[in-house]
Amino acid sequence: MYYQIMYIRFMNKSTLYKGCLEPIIMRLLKDNERMYGYQITQMVKEITKGELKITEGALYPLLHRLEGQGIVETEMENIGNRVRKYYTLTKVGKKQTTVALDELKTFMQSLNLIINPKPAF
Amino acid sequence: MYYQIMYIRFMNKSTLYKGCLEPIIMRLLKDNERMYGYQITQMVKEITKGELKITEGALYPLLHRLEGQGIVETEMENIGNRVRKYYTLTKVGKKQTTVALDELKTFMQSLNLIINPKPAF
DNA sequence: AAGCATACATAAATTCCTTATGTATTACCA
DNA sequence: TGGTAATACATAAGGAATTTATGTATGCTT
């Protein structure tokens, strides 16, 4: 029985993405159909070339909440001696995803208007 | 002495912009040099055509914190019988603003990579 | 054998915001 | 002239979304 320290800690630009995690996860599930938690963290890291990192402490409780809300459903799978928990969007979840992504896109456009204003000519 | 109800309440897509308020304010101060709190709320509303609205409960404590951190400095101005508190970026604040905006832009690009993935060709 | 990656999970603490409330002046309009 | 909305500041309580920290366990590599 090993008592190891988790060396990998997820952070950087921490406060910036409060509230965006849910739509990020829903987006990935929309495109990939079936994903497990760890896979989500890795995919986000890959896509953003290490810029965005999801902490487990944020991810797992969120996934559990989405399951409780009927947005995702799960199935366990045994990989050798290890267990993976796969998440899939439900029918309701797919609709919700569209809404959530539209909201996020609108928000990003608004933010862009402020941060990168167009010249007046 | 009137006991009035504040009818204007700021909200919508609430959770999405946690953490972005600080760079938003710094961005506006960078471009406009001298601004007062209420003016900031109005400008954000105008620029985003009503999409983003800043609550006073978020704005004022944040401005006070930025002042405490030496990022902005203030001067009071009397407009008739009313007082306005003008905020200006300090030298340190201007440097911090560049950093904060770079971080936010990088974050927005990362978010965009996930939400609006480019086709593979 | 040690350390890293994989894979899940939860609890405490923190941060950032909303909601609510308070005070006061000025403008409008019916 | 009286009520409402807009202007302009402020703070406190509460909530939601995260970080930080910790725990458990397997598998791979060196």
Side-chain angles (χ1 to χ4, degrees):
Chain A
M1 210 187 293
Y2 298 91
Y3 291 90
Q4 282 183 211
I5 298 160
M6 281 291 291
Y7 286 107
I8 309 161
R9 286 287 102 218
F10 305 109
M11 24 76 265
N12 56 298
K13 290 137 206 182
S14 53
T15 59
L16 280 178
Y17 84 115
K18 285 193 178 177
C20 296
L21 188 55
E22 188 177 319
I24 285 173
I25 289 170
M26 289 167 87
R27 167 80 216 175
L28 292 179
L29 285 174
K30 193 189 173 190
D31 263 24
N32 297 280
E33 178 90 38
R34 216 172 93 94
M35 295 188 84
Y36 56 98
Y38 187 76
Q39 188 187 9
I40 292 173
T41 68
Q42 297 310 299
M43 194 170 281
V44 167
K45 238 201 296 192
E46 275 168 42
I47 293 175
T48 66
K49 285 163 189 164
E51 274 299 325
L52 251 52
K53 292 171 185 178
I54 297 178
T55 62
E56 299 151 298
L59 178 68
Y60 290 115
L62 177 47
L63 286 172
H64 300 162
R65 203 200 69 210
L66 292 177
E67 191 183 2
Q69 290 174 338
I71 290 169
V72 296
E73 50 193 13
T74 60
E75 31 174 356
M76 306 296 262
E77 197 164 305
N78 282 52
I79 306 295
N81 232 331
R82 219 186 250 153
V83 181
R84 272 185 198 161
K85 198 167 169 183
Y86 277 95
Y87 291 86
T88 315
L89 285 171
T90 62
K91 202 166 185 180
V92 173
K94 283 176 189 167
K95 282 183 193 169
Q96 285 271 111
T97 299
T98 307
V99 176
L101 288 178
D102 282 348
E103 279 183 4
L104 182 54
K105 283 174 191 172
T106 303
F107 169 70
M108 285 168 75
Q109 281 163 19
S110 299
L111 197 52
N112 200 51
L113 285 172
I114 298 171
I115 301 301
N116 299 304
K118 292 282 182 303
F121 54 89
Chain B
M1 208 191 291
Y2 298 90
Y3 290 92
Q4 281 182 211
I5 298 160
M6 281 292 291
Y7 285 108
I8 309 160
R9 287 285 103 219
F10 305 107
M11 22 74 267
N12 55 300
K13 289 141 209 178
S14 52
T15 59
L16 279 178
Y17 85 115
K18 285 195 177 173
C20 295
L21 189 53
E22 189 177 318
I24 285 174
I25 289 169
M26 290 168 88
R27 167 81 218 178
L28 293 180
L29 286 173
K30 193 189 175 192
D31 264 23
N32 297 281
E33 178 89 36
R34 214 172 93 94
M35 295 188 84
Y36 57 98
Y38 187 75
Q39 189 187 8
I40 292 173
T41 67
Q42 297 310 298
M43 194 170 281
V44 168
K45 237 201 295 192
E46 276 167 42
I47 293 174
T48 66
K49 287 166 188 162
E51 274 297 326
L52 252 50
K53 293 173 185 177
I54 296 178
T55 63
E56 299 151 299
L59 178 67
Y60 291 114
L62 177 48
L63 287 172
H64 301 162
R65 202 200 71 210
L66 292 177
E67 191 183 3
Q69 292 175 338
I71 290 170
V72 297
E73 50 194 11
T74 61
E75 30 175 357
M76 305 296 262
E77 197 165 305
N78 282 53
I79 306 296
N81 232 328
R82 217 186 249 154
V83 181
R84 272 186 198 161
K85 198 166 170 184
Y86 277 94
Y87 291 86
T88 315
L89 285 171
T90 62
K91 201 165 183 176
V92 173
K94 282 175 190 167
K95 282 182 194 168
Q96 284 271 111
T97 299
T98 307
V99 176
L101 288 179
D102 282 349
E103 279 183 4
L104 182 53
K105 283 174 191 171
T106 302
F107 169 70
M108 284 167 75
Q109 282 163 19
S110 299
L111 198 50
N112 200 50
L113 285 171
I114 298 170
I115 302 301
N116 299 305
K118 292 282 183 304
F121 55 89

